Amino acid sequence: MNSQPEQSRSAPRPADEPVAIVGIGALYPGAHSADAYWSLLNQPLNQSSSPCGGDLDEVDVDVARFGIPPAQSGAMARMQILMLEAARRCLADAGHDARSLPGERTDVVVGTCFGLDRQYANALRIEGSRYARDLRRALEGRGESDAAGRAAAEFQEELRRGLGASPHDRVGEMTSTIPARIAAAFKFRGRTLALESADATSFVGLAHAVTSLRAGTADAALVVAGHRRESPLLERMIEGWVTAGAAGRAGRLAEGVGALLLKPLSLAERDGDRVYARILHCALRLDAQPGPFRRSSATGLHRTTARAAYRGAAVTPESVQYVERVGAGSPEDAAAELAALAREHGVQLLPGTAAVGSAQDRIGHTLANAGLAAVSKVALALHHRTVPPSSAPDRALPGPPAFRSPATAEPWERPAPGLPRRAAVTGTSVTGAVCHLVMEEHAPTEPRPVAGARTRERRPGHTAHPAAEPIAIVGMGAKFAGSPDPEAFWQIVLSGQDRIAPVSERVLDRDLYYAPGSLSLTHSYTELAAPIDVPEAPPPGLDIAPDRYRSLDAAQRTVLETAGQLLARCGEGALPLGGRGLVAVGGNLGLTRDRQAHTERSIGYLESVADALPALAGLADDVRESLLKEVRAEHHGGDGPPHPALLDGRLASGGAALVAHEYGLDAFPVAVEAACASSLAALDVAVGALRSGDVDYALAGGVELACTARDMVLCSALGLLSHGRITPFDAAADGFTPGDGCALFLLKRYEDARRDGDTVLGTIRAVGASNDAKSLIAPDAQGQARAIQRAFSQVEFGPDTVDYLEAHGTGTKVGDRAEISSVAEVYSGGRDAPLLIGSAKSHFGHTYAAAGAAGTLRALLALRAATVPPGANLTTLNPDLPLDAIPALVPTEAMAWPAVRGRPRRAAVSSFGTGGINYHLLLEEHRDGPR
C-alpha cells in the first residue's frame, strides 16, 4: 500500500509575507555572541580596538557536545566546527536548546567561498607522495641509496602527522558536510545544501531561504556563512581584490562566521518568537561583462536592482532611513553604488535624512559572510531602535550628500507616526553581482502602511498553487565519458554498455598512487574510471584570453562548453534570453585548481619537512641545500607572482559566472553543493526562483570531474570504490566507480515557454528534499522515503502513476538496499504495471555532484524516446532488494514505453548524498507539441 505523503508543504504563503529573523549567531574576533557583536558595532570608531586583524582560533568549541564520533572529528574542517558553534549559539539566542526546535521542516543553508583547510591539507598530503619520490630519486642519483628509502618513508609519515590523515578525509573535507553535520546535530530534516557566489554568497543564501519559506516548503531556515584565512596564497590575492581603492578597516579581509534563524512572520508570531526584524525582499542582478571578473560600476544596474527590491517589498525608497553597505571595490565601484543610492533615495529626501554605514568598519570584509554580518547588524539596530556609528561615506558625488554618517550611536526615530523603521542592505561582488535587500522593524500590533508604495510585480498566468506550477525544460547539454552531447549519451545508454576502463597515467600515476587489493591512506586500489576529455580551447565565438583560459578550473571549462552546446541547440530564436535569469551549477565547492594552486605554492612547507628528516641529518648543510634545490626543480609554480586571472579559476561559482558573462546573460551565478545530490539541489534552487517570480529563466545542472588521483585515493581510504566496476542492484555490488560528467538544462515557467514558442522537452513537476539527520555516511531508507513523500505532496498525482525511476544506484549492497526499501515504502501498491528502475551510473560511473544531472538527462531522454533504457553490468539481481513488494523490474534490455490513456508518461529521479542529503525529482513528458 502507498504510504500517505507527509504534510511536508504548507499552503504557499503570500508572495510578499515578511520573513522574521528570530535568532542571531555571531563569531568574530573579539565578539562571540549577538550581544557582543552589537556592543562592538556601537563603539565610536576612533575608540574601537579593530579586532578585524585577528582570527577565530580563539573560539573554543566543545566538539563532543555535537555527538561527533572521535574517528570523524580529526577529519573535520575548522570551518565546520565554527559553523556548528555559530548554529548552536544562534538557536540558543532564539530561545531553543539543541533539541527543542521542531526540525521536520527546518532547512540548513551554508555559504562559504574558496577552499577549506582540510581540502588544502588533503591535496598537499597526496601530492606529497610525488615530492617523496623525487626526494628518493635525487638521493639515489647521488649514491645515497641507504638514505633514499628511509627519507621517502619518513617524509610521508611526517606529512601524515603534520597535515593529518584519516579514512574519513573525503567526507570531512566536503563543504556540504557542514550543513549535513548541523542537521544531524540538531535533528533538522529539511533541505541541506551549501552555496557559493563569491562575496555575494550571503545574499544568495538568504534569498533562497526566503523563497523556500514563502513557498511553504520549509517552516524555518538556518542560514550560516563564514570565512577563514585558509590559504596564504589565496589571502594575498583576495587582499588586492577587496581593498582596491578602499580605505581603513573596511578594506581588510577578515575572519567571521554568522548565523540567522528565519521563519515566516506568521509562524514566528504564532510561536511567540522574539523577532529582531523582518526581511521584506532581496533582489539580485548581474552586470554581464566578458573578460576577467570585476565589480559593477554601472549606476543604472544599481538603481534597477534597488527598484526591484523596493517593488518586491512593496515599499517606497523614501521610507528607508538607513542603508548598510557591503563590499570594498574601486573608487569607481563605490561611486556608482552611492550615486545610484543617492538618486533612488536622495531625490525624495532632504540632504542627510538617511544614514549610511558598514559593519566592515569594525570587522573588516568577511567575504562569504559579509552580507550576513550586514543583515545581522541591521536587524540588531532595528531591534534596539538605534543607529550605530559609522565612518564617513565616500565623497565622490557632486552636490549635497544624500546620506549622513553618525559619529556616535543615536536613537532611531520613526519616519512618521504609524510607519515602521526601515533599512536597506546593498552589496556588490567581484563577479559583477549587485544585491539589494530591504528590512523593517517588527511591530506586531501595527499594520504595515504602504501608502504610495508600488505593488509587487505579478506575471500573467542529484496560479493559485504556485509551488505546483510546472517548470518546462526547453534546452539541454551534456558531456560524459564517450559522449560529447545528449544524442551520444543516449546511444551509449541504449547499447547497454559502459564507458568504464583503466585510466591513463595522466589521471593516475600508478607508481605513486595505485596499490590493488588493500586499503591505504595514500593509494587507490582501483584503476578503473570513466573520465572525459577536458576542453583545451573556449567554445566557438568566445574571445577568452589564452592565459585566462589556462588558469580556469577544468570543471569551469566543462561547464562553459556544455552551456555553449545547450544554447546553440536551442536555436537562434531562443537567444538572447530575455528578462532576469539564474545560472545554478551543482558541484564541489572546493575546486581542483584552487587546491592545486595552494599545493604549488606550498613547496616551502614540503622543504621544511624534508630538511628536518633524520635520514638527511648526516648530510652536510650545503649538500642538503643542494639536494632540496634539485627536488624543487621537479615541481612547478612555486615561484613568481600568481597570474591575476588565477583567482577566477578558484571560484566554484566561477563556472556559472563564466556562462553568464561570456554569453551575455542577465543571470545571477551560484554554485551549489549537496554532496552527490548537488545537481538536483541546483535544479531545486532554480525551480524555486522561477516559481517565486524572481527570475524568468534558469540554467541549472551539475558538474564534477571525479577521475583524479586525489579523489580515487581519498575514496579508496574509506572503502567506497568498487574493486571491479560499479554494478547497481547486482548481488556482486561492492562500491562505485568514479566518473566525470556535466549536464545542464534550460528551464522556464511552463506558460512562459509556451508563450515564447519554445520546444518543451519535458516538465519538472516537483522536487522533494530531506535530511536523514542520523549519519554522515550510512544511507537511511526512512530519510530517503521522506524526500520522495515531499515530492508527491506537491503534485496532484500519486506514486502509482509513475512508470520509471532513475535511481541513485550507488552500487553498494547497503546503499542499494536502503534505496529500494525507501521506494517500496512510497511506491508500492495500486500499480497497474511494475515500476521500471535503472541508473546512469551503470554506464558512466558515479559522477558525484553531476550524478543527479546524469540521471535527469537519462530519464528525460527516455521520456522523449518513449523507451525504457537498459542497465549495464547487471548479472544477478541482489535477492535482498524488496523489488517484489513494489513491484518493480530492473531492465537489462531496452523496452518500449507505451502511452497510458488519460495521463502523460512520468518518471522520477533520485539523488542521495553523503551527510544524509536526499532529493527526489518528478518529471512528466510534454505531449502537446513537437517531441
Side-chain angles (χ1 to χ4, degrees):
M1 178 180 292
N2 291 356
S3 291
Q4 291 297 318
E6 63 167 35
Q7 296 302 311
S8 63
R9 182 176 62 86
S10 302
R13 302 176 176 108
D16 60 353
E17 178 179 5
V19 169
I21 297 175
V22 300
I24 297 176
L27 292 179
Y28 300 98
H32 300 166
S33 68
D35 288 342
Y37 183 45
W38 178 240
S39 177
L40 173 65
L41 293 169
N42 278 278
Q43 294 178 15
L45 194 60
N46 58 2
Q47 296 179 19
S48 173
S49 60
S50 182
C52 64
D55 57 43
L56 294 178
D57 289 343
E58 65 191 35
V59 180
D60 186 27
V61 182
D62 180 8
V63 176
R65 76 189 310 162
F66 298 109
I68 298 169
Q72 297 179 14
S73 61
M76 294 170 61
R78 173 66 175 170
M79 180 62 77
Q80 184 176 154
I81 296 171
L82 290 171
M83 286 188 165
L84 273 167
E85 183 65 10
R88 184 189 70 80
R89 297 187 185 200
C90 179
L91 295 174
D93 180 69
H96 302 284
D97 62 27
R99 307 290 179 183
S100 66
L101 185 70
E104 262 323 289
R105 291 166 40 80
T106 297
D107 290 353
V108 182
V109 182
V110 159
T112 65
C113 190
F114 298 109
L116 305 177
D117 55 358
R118 288 310 312 163
Q119 295 171 347
Y120 294 132
N122 293 337
L124 182 57
R125 175 174 59 81
I126 291 170
E127 181 61 21
S129 295
R130 189 178 307 279
Y131 189 95
R133 181 178 66 181
D134 293 341
L135 179 64
R136 188 194 74 231
R137 288 176 174 176
L139 284 165
E140 289 172 343
R142 292 166 178 255
E144 300 284 351
S145 300
D146 291 341
R150 287 189 291 114
E154 289 173 0
F155 181 84
Q156 291 200 294
E157 180 57 33
E158 284 302 312
L159 277 191
R160 284 195 289 271
R161 183 178 295 114
L163 297 173
S166 163
H168 294 274
D169 280 338
R170 183 62 174 89
V171 175
E173 72 166 22
M174 296 166 59
T175 308
S176 57
T177 300
I178 300 175
R181 183 77 75 180
I182 293 172
F186 302 107
K187 300 303 178 186
F188 296 154
R189 295 185 174 87
R191 286 164 163 77
T192 49
L193 68 159
L195 301 172
E196 186 264 290
S197 189
D199 39 348
T201 296
S202 291
F203 291 99
V204 179
L206 288 168
H208 174 67
V210 168
T211 296
S212 297
L213 293 170
R214 286 175 171 165
T217 57
D219 288 337
L222 181 64
V223 182
V224 190
H227 176 70
R228 284 188 74 234
R229 298 185 180 99
E230 307 278 21
S231 166
L233 169 64
L234 188 60
E235 185 79 6
R236 293 200 304 273
M237 297 178 72
I238 299 179
E239 283 285 1
W241 194 48
V242 301
T243 61
R249 297 178 177 87
R252 298 182 188 173
L253 191 68
E255 296 194 355
V257 178
L260 293 177
L261 181 62
L262 309 178
K263 283 185 174 182
L265 182 60
S266 57
L267 295 188
E269 291 184 327
R270 180 201 69 184
D271 296 341
D273 292 312
R274 173 197 55 199
V275 177
Y276 280 107
R278 305 169 174 178
I279 295 175
L280 302 183
H281 194 68
C282 183
L284 309 172
R285 299 295 292 272
L286 182 76
D287 186 5
Q289 309 172 75
F293 299 156
R294 55 198 181 278
R295 297 180 190 276
S296 174
S297 57
T299 301
L301 182 65
H302 284 266
R303 291 192 70 189
T304 300
T305 307
R307 287 178 178 176
Y310 296 129
R311 184 170 58 245
V315 303
T316 53
E318 63 266 26
S319 69
V320 171
Q321 299 169 282
Y322 177 79
V323 177
E324 174 76 8
R325 294 181 57 211
V326 181
S330 68
E332 293 77 14
D333 301 333
E337 181 182 17
L338 286 169
L341 292 172
R343 291 172 186 169
E344 195 65 20
H345 292 256
V347 294
Q348 303 179 58
L349 293 174
L350 293 175
T353 302
V356 65
S358 175
Q360 293 174 18
D361 290 345
R362 301 306 196 283
I363 64 170
H365 195 304
T366 52
L367 208 60
N369 173 69
L372 211 63
V375 172
S376 299
K377 173 187 173 180
V378 173
L380 288 165
L382 287 166
H383 179 66
H384 291 283
R385 298 175 180 176
T386 300
V387 178
S390 63
S391 62
D394 301 72
R395 300 298 186 185
L397 304 179
F403 302 100
R404 60 190 174 83
S405 300
T408 59
E410 61 182 37
W412 189 337
E413 304 295 342
R414 284 183 180 273
L419 281 177
R421 299 165 178 85
R422 291 197 180 116
V425 181
T426 180
T428 64
S429 166
V430 74
T431 59
V434 178
C435 317
H436 205 88
L437 184 144
V438 184
M439 301 171 64
E440 72 178 16
E441 70 174 325
H442 179 58
T445 61
E446 302 174 11
R448 284 176 55 222
V450 291
R454 290 160 286 188
T455 58
R456 180 172 178 172
E457 179 183 8
R458 304 287 186 179
R459 295 193 56 85
H462 5 147
T463 60
H465 206 313
E469 181 180 8
I471 299 300
I473 302 175
V474 299
M476 57 184 173
K479 186 180 181 73
F480 290 86
S483 56
D485 53 43
E487 288 77 15
F489 179 97
W490 182 240
Q491 290 306 311
I492 291 173
V493 167
L494 285 181
S495 74
Q497 303 299 311
D498 68 39
R499 286 300 179 269
I500 296 169
V503 296
S504 67
E505 285 290 320
R506 178 184 59 82
V507 173
L508 185 72
D509 186 328
R510 287 165 174 76
D511 178 53
L512 282 179
Y513 301 120
Y514 181 48
S518 61
L519 294 180
S520 166
L521 294 176
T522 56
H523 292 75
S524 170
Y525 52 74
T526 183
E527 60 178 346
L528 296 180
I532 63 170
D533 294 324
V534 177
E536 296 293 335
L542 298 188
D543 185 17
I544 302 178
D547 283 351
R548 182 172 187 241
Y549 190 78
R550 282 194 296 270
S551 73
L552 297 177
D553 187 80
Q556 293 176 325
R557 289 188 241 165
T558 303
V559 166
L560 189 63
E561 181 182 77
T562 306
Q565 175 198 128
L566 179 157
L567 295 172
R569 291 164 61 88
C570 287
E572 294 182 1
L575 296 176
L577 290 167
R580 301 155 298 175
L582 173 74
V583 183
V585 179
N588 192 319
L589 296 191
L591 295 186
T592 294
R593 189 71 187 95
D594 183 28
R595 304 182 206 208
Q596 181 184 28
H598 175 82
T599 297
E600 289 171 352
R601 298 286 167 152
S602 298
I603 186 70
Y605 172 78
L606 298 179
E607 287 176 342
S608 68
V609 172
D611 193 45
L613 295 177
L616 303 186
L619 300 180
D621 290 347
D622 59 335
V623 174
R624 193 163 59 250
E625 180 180 355
S626 172
L627 174 71
L628 296 181
K629 285 183 178 179
E630 181 182 342
V631 177
R632 174 183 279 249
E634 296 297 320
H635 294 256
H636 306 285
D639 297 311
H643 192 280
L646 179 60
L647 195 62
D648 292 0
R650 301 178 74 171
L651 275 173
S653 63
L658 278 165
V659 171
H661 285 298
E662 299 301 329
Y663 289 106
L665 306 179
D666 179 8
F668 201 91
V670 59
V672 181
E673 184 185 318
C676 304
S678 296
S679 293
L680 294 196
L683 285 167
D684 187 38
V685 170
V687 167
L690 283 164
R691 285 177 171 165
S692 71
D694 289 337
V695 302
D696 301 301
Y697 66 88
L699 273 75
V703 64
E704 187 151 1
L705 308 187
C707 300
T708 66
R710 182 193 70 243
D711 277 321
M712 294 175 76
V713 168
L714 291 178
C715 289
S716 288
L718 198 55
L720 300 176
L721 302 184
S722 171
H723 289 264
R725 63 186 61 218
I726 186 170
T727 56
F729 313 120
D730 197 278
D734 68 340
F736 60 81
T737 302
D740 294 341
C742 177
L744 297 174
F745 306 93
L746 179 58
L747 310 179
K748 288 185 176 181
R749 286 178 288 270
Y750 180 73
E751 292 301 327
D752 291 354
R754 297 301 303 276
R755 177 200 66 202
D756 296 339
D758 294 313
T759 298
V760 178
L761 306 177
T763 62
I764 296 175
R765 295 301 316 276
V767 186
S770 74
N771 190 281
D772 298 341
K774 287 187 176 180
S775 168
L776 255 65
I777 55 177
D780 177 68
Q782 185 179 5
Q784 294 175 11
R786 186 178 295 111
I788 300 172
Q789 291 166 339
R790 289 178 176 173
F792 281 105
S793 74
Q794 302 172 36
V795 294
E796 75 283 1
F797 56 84
D800 57 314
T801 67
V802 173
D803 311 301
Y804 173 71
L805 169 64
E806 175 67 24
H808 187 60
T810 58
T812 66
K813 286 185 173 63
V814 174
D816 288 349
R817 185 167 59 247
E819 179 170 11
I820 298 303
S821 296
S822 71
V823 173
E825 182 174 339
V826 183
Y827 278 86
S828 61
R831 304 194 59 83
D832 295 328
L835 178 68
L836 303 174
I837 299 177
S839 174
K841 293 181 182 63
S842 66
H843 306 281
F844 304 101
H846 191 345
T847 52
Y848 295 43
T856 301
L857 179 65
R858 191 172 186 262
L860 182 64
L861 291 169
L863 282 170
R864 290 186 54 72
T867 301
V868 176
N873 302 320
L874 181 61
T875 302
T876 305
L877 271 174
N878 182 350
D880 293 335
L881 304 179
L883 293 168
D884 292 340
I886 302 174
L889 296 175
V890 183
T892 56
E893 295 182 354
M895 298 172 56
W897 188 342
V900 180
R901 178 175 297 180
R903 68 166 176 84
R905 297 175 178 87
R906 294 187 179 119
V909 183
S910 283
S911 245
F912 309 127
T914 301
I917 301 174
N918 310 302
Y919 277 82
H920 195 73
L921 179 145
L922 298 178
L923 288 172
E924 201 168 74
E925 73 171 335
H926 176 63
R927 299 202 293 188
D928 181 14
R931 294 187 61 81

